[in-house]
Amino acid sequence: MAVKPEIRLTASALIFAVIAAGSSALPGDCRASSNSAKNATARQSESSPRGQILALSCASCHGTDGKSSSVIPTINGRSVEYIETALKGYKSGDRPSTVMARHAKGYTDEELRLISEYFGTLSTTNK
Amino acid sequence: MSNTLSRRDFSKLLLSGVAGSALGLFGTSKSAFASTKRVVVIGGGFGGATAAKYLRKLDPSIHVTLVEPKAVYYTCPLSNWVLGGLKTMDDIAHTYAVLKGKYQVNIVPEVVIGIDMVKNTVKLKNGKTLGYDRLIVAPGIDFKYDAIEGYSESVANSQMPHAWQAGSQTTLLQKQLLDMKNGGRVFICAPANPFRCPPGPYERASLIAAYLKAAKPLSKVIILDAKDKFSKQGLFKKGWDRLYPGMIEWRSVALGGKVLKVDAGAMTITTELGVEKGDVINLIPPQRAGKIAVDAALTDATGWCPINPVSFESTLHPGIHVIGDASLAGAMPKSGFAASSQGKVAAAAIVRLFQGKVPAAPSLVNTCYSLLAADYGVSVAGVYKLAVDGIVEIKGAGGLTPLDADDNQLRQEAMFAQGWYQNISQDIWG
């Protein structure tokens, strides 16, 4: 029993560290992903872990790398601007949807931008 | 559990992986800077298969072994559609051929019988062992058969299937429905929270009613519930009134819904209000984390596995990540979608940990579609963030299909439900 509080402390400390890293890292991540657009492979693994981890969620409905094989729209191949406009439209309610408004409201504008840059850069690389 | 932690284990806990690298206190912990990068994944469902694929996709230098005894995996999502006659078992079957061929995951069709946390090895039923630098445990659920008097695994496999793990159980329940007479009574016994797929029993009631309405219209579906409210309740009740008036009855705990005892020979269920006789009895028992998680002492008193929500690393055993239904993931439901989302977070965290870096803040999402009829779908969505007390839902986001959604939206959601299944299956096994 004696060790249990120590374990909890360790886990909590880690959570604090990551929450802090998550929010303070945002502006840096944006710059990094724009700068490294020429080398998307390096960017994926190195430069924008935040953009990548946000974007991985999208694949559960839109397919791996945003390539859909169903009625759900493909994101892969769309421009950064297109995706960002769509996501912000869902968030504001200007763009009608079934479920996308409910998702888009869960992200800050910065996060929506990171997601758009992630898929926008992927599609540039694939051309 | 914790009083069995040796001094050595405790030192290892402090030194290893996440804790050491995140706090920057210990420069060279063993698993964060291992010279080899071997990950073993136990379980090839939504969580485990996702983690295996994404580990390889994110960092091809990681060697990934997936241990899963089943050559063909049948998904629980859409298994209710099979019961309703909208899909076949082949439609919900997946194999590991693409993970093996395209992603070069080492597939081991075996059962894990033990985990040696000192030697970092997994013991297989065939006597062999597999070494790992990090282990992902994704065993899904196991059933507390003894929680209901008269119920057992053999009763589940003969008279009263749970069909809460898809495969032969689904086929058995389907056969019973096909064999049932017109005017029969189907009981669905739903467990208390938490359990796998919170809207599942109610989607099942809907789609069984869809089948009965067409084939055996004098029949009834009665849900005996160990709860007083349930997921998407308003949407389901409205849909039942519209689609299946008088066919589906829901009895809450307050109305005698809790099952106390069953008699498989007599096909009866005893509740506080008396004895009911059923023609088909689908008993979904209370659940806990899958067996290997219990055997390896990864569970706490709740029967589920406490984890660090940044990386899904066990708070009881460092170096072992637990994802999916078996984990205690805060506000996230036990769904296939959530498990897959967690598999990606764990994979990305492990990639960072092998690089000696702090994992990125996780991004976790869930969407659960339920079908009430072929062209009538509803959904619940959630976006999650990390707070000091764990994984919480982001307020203002997520939520349900509106109760006043028009037929067009309900039809679209039914279409997207199918689209979601196609894409998530491809994202995981394809």
Side-chain angles (χ1 to χ4, degrees):
Chain A
M1 283 310 291
V3 293
K4 215 167 182 182
E6 297 289 335
I7 297 170
R8 289 221 183 94
L9 271 178
T10 310
S12 319
L14 172 62
I15 294 167
F16 278 123
V18 172
I19 291 172
S23 46
S24 66
L26 285 177
D29 284 348
C30 291
R31 281 196 301 274
S33 49
S34 320
N35 291 345
S36 59
K38 291 167 209 152
N39 189 345
T41 314
R43 184 188 64 79
Q44 273 182 60
S45 56
E46 295 292 334
S47 305
S48 182
R50 184 73 186 143
Q52 180 183 62
I53 199 134
L54 289 167
L56 288 181
S57 299
C58 307
S60 298
C61 290
H62 290 272
T64 307
D65 296 329
K67 290 179 191 167
S68 174
S69 55
S70 76
V71 296
I72 293 175
T74 283
I75 321 172
N76 191 294
R78 297 290 192 176
S79 68
V80 176
E81 293 70 28
Y82 176 90
I83 301 167
E84 191 173 358
T85 306
L87 288 174
K88 289 183 177 166
Y90 290 132
K91 187 179 174 182
S92 69
D94 290 344
R95 197 179 169 104
S97 69
T98 54
V99 78
M100 277 310 298
R102 288 180 262 162
H103 284 295
K105 285 175 186 165
Y107 302 90
T108 64
D109 286 355
E110 279 300 314
E111 288 173 328
L112 294 179
R113 203 163 97 83
L114 283 173
I115 292 169
S116 309
E117 284 181 352
Y118 181 85
F119 285 110
T121 319
L122 266 188
S123 45
T124 312
T125 317
N126 287 353
K127 273 176 192 168
Chain B
M1 169 52 239
S2 55
N3 54 8
T4 64
L5 265 184
S6 69
R7 191 187 172 90
R8 179 180 170 177
D9 284 336
F10 182 57
S11 310
K12 197 175 153 190
L13 170 69
L14 282 177
L15 282 164
S16 86
V18 176
S21 55
L23 296 170
L25 298 176
F26 308 101
T28 54
S29 84
K30 187 183 155 205
S31 48
F33 296 94
S35 54
T36 56
K37 295 192 273 190
R38 297 165 307 164
V39 179
V40 172
V41 182
I42 302 174
F46 281 80
T50 300
K53 166 171 164 173
Y54 273 86
L55 278 166
R56 293 285 305 153
K57 188 168 156 56
L58 297 175
D59 184 352
S61 73
I62 297 175
H63 185 267
V64 180
T65 299
L66 176 63
V67 188
E68 167 58 60
K70 294 189 283 289
V72 177
Y73 182 85
Y74 294 96
T75 61
C76 272
L78 264 72
S79 64
N80 287 332
W81 301 33
V82 174
L83 297 174
L86 302 171
K87 292 281 172 191
T88 66
M89 289 300 284
D90 283 347
D91 294 330
I92 61 166
H94 302 280
T95 72
Y96 302 97
V98 174
L99 285 180
K100 185 178 179 178
K102 184 173 174 190
Y103 292 95
Q104 294 176 297
V105 174
N106 178 31
I107 307 290
V108 175
E110 259 296 327
V111 176
V112 174
I113 56 167
I115 300 168
D116 186 328
M117 295 166 189
V118 177
K119 290 183 186 158
N120 284 5
T121 56
V122 161
K123 190 170 184 197
L124 305 177
K125 203 177 174 183
N126 66 6
K128 291 186 179 157
T129 58
L130 298 167
Y132 65 82
D133 298 299
R134 285 197 172 264
L135 178 65
I136 296 180
V137 178
I141 54 165
D142 206 355
F143 299 103
K144 295 179 180 173
Y145 289 109
D146 56 0
I148 292 167
E149 191 185 335
Y151 200 58
S152 65
E153 190 168 1
S154 71
V155 169
N157 287 331
S158 50
Q159 290 99 329
M160 298 180 181
H162 52 70
W164 223 239
Q165 282 166 334
S168 58
Q169 279 279 312
T170 316
T171 309
L172 176 59
L173 179 56
Q174 185 180 32
K175 185 179 182 307
Q176 293 182 344
L177 291 166
L178 291 170
D179 291 347
M180 191 183 81
K181 64 174 191 276
N182 187 8
R185 299 207 305 166
V186 178
F187 282 90
I188 298 174
C189 308
N193 294 322
F195 67 104
R196 162 179 282 184
C197 191
Y202 316 97
E203 179 190 64
R204 176 169 290 178
S206 310
L207 295 182
I208 288 177
Y211 160 71
L212 296 174
K213 187 182 174 183
K216 295 160 187 173
L218 300 174
S219 311
K220 260 194 98 167
V221 179
I222 299 149
I223 305 165
L224 297 178
D225 213 325
K227 300 182 287 301
D228 276 323
K229 54 181 185 175
F230 61 88
S231 172
K232 303 177 188 163
Q233 185 166 342
L235 290 164
F236 275 114
K237 291 194 114 177
K238 185 178 176 183
W240 294 342
D241 285 344
R242 284 184 64 187
L243 300 163
Y244 315 109
M247 280 190 80
I248 300 177
E249 182 190 340
W250 175 67
R251 292 186 206 162
S252 64
V253 166
L255 295 172
K258 188 171 166 57
V259 176
L260 303 176
K261 191 167 113 177
V262 294
D263 183 328
M267 283 294 279
T268 58
I269 304 165
T270 305
T271 70
E272 279 173 359
L273 297 185
V275 179
E276 298 279 359
K277 186 162 168 54
D279 295 283
V280 171
I281 296 174
N282 167 216
L283 200 164
I284 306 163
Q287 297 148 30
R288 61 172 160 246
K291 187 170 184 301
I292 187 67
V294 177
D295 291 350
L298 289 162
T299 51
D300 67 13
T302 64
W304 307 99
C305 305
I307 48 97
N308 176 330
V310 176
S311 57
F312 283 78
E313 186 166 3
S314 167
T315 56
L316 302 175
H317 293 291
I320 301 179
H321 302 250
V322 185
I323 56 174
D325 292 349
S327 70
L328 280 168
M332 296 188 85
K334 297 189 185 303
S335 74
F337 194 119
S340 181
S341 184
Q342 294 161 9
K344 290 174 185 178
V345 164
I350 288 171
V351 167
R352 299 273 296 175
L353 290 166
F354 277 140
Q355 294 168 349
K357 293 176 181 166
V358 182
S363 171
L364 292 155
V365 179
N366 180 61
T367 310
C368 287
Y369 285 101
S370 301
L371 221 58
L372 280 79
D375 58 354
Y376 194 119
V378 295
S379 61
V380 62
V383 187
Y384 303 87
K385 67 171 183 183
L386 204 54
V388 283
D389 51 352
I391 299 167
V392 298
E393 202 164 346
I394 294 176
K395 289 202 175 74
L400 298 159
T401 301
L403 200 52
D404 61 356
D406 61 20
D407 288 351
N408 189 44
Q409 171 157 0
L410 298 168
R411 199 164 29 244
Q412 276 193 315
E413 294 231 43
M415 210 170 67
F416 287 141
Q418 172 141 348
W420 162 75
Y421 183 80
Q422 261 174 265
N423 280 353
I424 199 168
S425 304
Q426 174 263 338
D427 191 35
I428 297 172
W429 297 280

